[in-house]
Amino acid sequence: MSGSNALRGLRAAVVGGSIGGCSAAIALHRAGCRDITVHERTTGALADRGVGVAMHAGRYAELEAAGYLDAAMSWGRLVERHWYVRDGSVPLGRVLGTNAFPFRTYNWGLLWSGLYHRLPAEVGFRTGNPVVSVEESAAGAEVHTADGGERYDLVVGADGYRSVVRAAVCPRLQPRDAGYLAWRGAYPESRLPDAGLWPRNSAAYVVFGGGHVVLYRIPGADGVDRVNWVLYTTPPIGLGTHDDHPASVSPGTLAEPFRAHLHELVQDRLPPFWATLITRTRPEELFVQPMYDFAATPGASGVVALLGDAASVARPHTGAGAVKALQDATLLESALRTADGGPVEALKAYDLARGAAGSSMVALGRQLGRALVEATPDWAALDPAGLEAWWRQADAAGLFGGRRLGK
């Protein structure tokens, strides 16, 4: 019996309803499963999450060909990357170098909406339905929520880096704290003075000793482009590092010491234009993201599998977070379609396919984190040739933007 036919009578659950969860549900349906329930813990509108996602054009083309993305999903185009360092009062700073940067930019909420609306009618999407545990048994897997337990024949954990499902697959794994943070923000470009100084199809990497900030524009739900930025650096001891490292801090809830430190940092380290851009971010648009990384081994056990950030988290420097979740979904679909031994054999094949990819991206994230945050060069001393040589060493494997699908 083919994998597609074998799945038709099975019940499947996806834990987590974000980009990875929607992709997993699409994969299950395309592989032949018709009884699918997505358990999403939040009750708010996921479409309102307006931060940026950058996707390498080559990885997009592969995912479009696989049927997971399409050009109708609102996106922006990047063609080059400019590297800047502070140089007195020069507004943008001094350009260290420029290189090709073939990326598409997305608004997270709009990308999620595009995937959500591709879910077939058979998929049940339960919001405000947090899963507290998953237990395997000879009869399948039991998914426990506050309302009780439900038995499923197949469970996919797509519930992020704090995954509940991972405890059933790889219980001893603990995410590794990178020791530094990412400050993030996004807001309408119309609020930015002198926006014309910044080339529209350019990503900006603004570097300083001990960190950097990445900036690019993303589409807005209202048709107005948004400024999207993420700044990486190690905060002072006592402000959220190591043992007191916070979980993600939602927009609008960031404590005043964090905001004050960020304001002081950008005024001291960034060129004037970029410092102003960041300080124009309102408190309700500002949040902090901790840096964790890990790769779950194994990433599947019996009829339970992990996908996306539940399976492995690479630091965002890789430019491939959403790509990895979508690629995992394509691998899950392929394994389920082709396996003749039922879900257990299919998930073994899936885990074998995705394991190497996850580990290589985690390694790249650590390498880029060291180069861009933990052991930064003397930026001001680099010329374009020196910058190019430094980047070739930082991304020695050539995996920035994500691995090629199937490689």
Side-chain angles (χ1 to χ4, degrees), residues 159-359:
D159 49 340
Y161 79 93
R162 292 180 291 175
S163 172
V164 169
V165 183
R166 192 167 58 245
V169 175
C170 197
R172 289 180 295 278
L173 178 66
Q174 292 296 323
R176 170 177 165 176
D177 177 7
Y180 58 92
L181 303 174
W183 279 262
R184 300 195 67 157
Y187 59 84
E189 184 187 30
S190 56
R191 196 187 306 159
L192 180 63
D194 301 320
L197 292 175
W198 177 16
R200 180 154 297 280
N201 297 120
S202 167
Y205 273 51
V206 186
V207 295
F208 55 90
H212 68 294
V213 56
V214 181
L215 309 99
Y216 53 85
R217 295 172 174 90
I218 61 174
D222 56 1
V224 176
D225 278 356
R226 298 172 65 82
V227 170
N228 176 80
W229 62 268
V230 52
L231 185 149
Y232 304 91
T233 194
T234 303
I237 293 174
L239 194 64
T241 177
H242 302 297
D243 290 341
D244 59 345
H245 207 151
S248 294
V249 178
S250 302
T253 63
L254 191 62
E256 177 56 32
F258 279 93
R259 295 198 298 270
H261 173 71
L262 176 65
H263 191 276
E264 180 180 347
L265 174 73
V266 300
Q267 297 293 343
D268 182 56
R269 301 292 188 90
L270 299 187
F273 176 84
W274 307 113
T276 298
L277 183 152
I278 289 176
T279 56
R280 287 292 174 106
T281 310
R282 295 171 179 167
E284 65 270 20
E285 298 161 337
L286 179 65
F287 68 101
V288 164
Q289 175 184 355
M291 292 293 99
Y292 291 113
D293 53 27
F294 64 86
T297 305
S301 174
V303 296
V304 181
L306 305 174
L307 181 146
D309 284 352
S312 61
V313 171
R315 302 179 201 180
H317 313 299
T318 62
V323 163
K324 186 177 67 64
L326 286 155
Q327 288 180 336
D328 283 357
T330 70
L331 296 174
L332 177 64
E333 178 191 345
S334 177
L336 290 169
R337 279 183 179 275
T338 57
D340 291 326
V344 174
E345 291 305 312
L347 295 189
K348 285 181 181 178
Y350 160 71
D351 192 33
L352 183 64
R354 58 142 294 276
S359 296

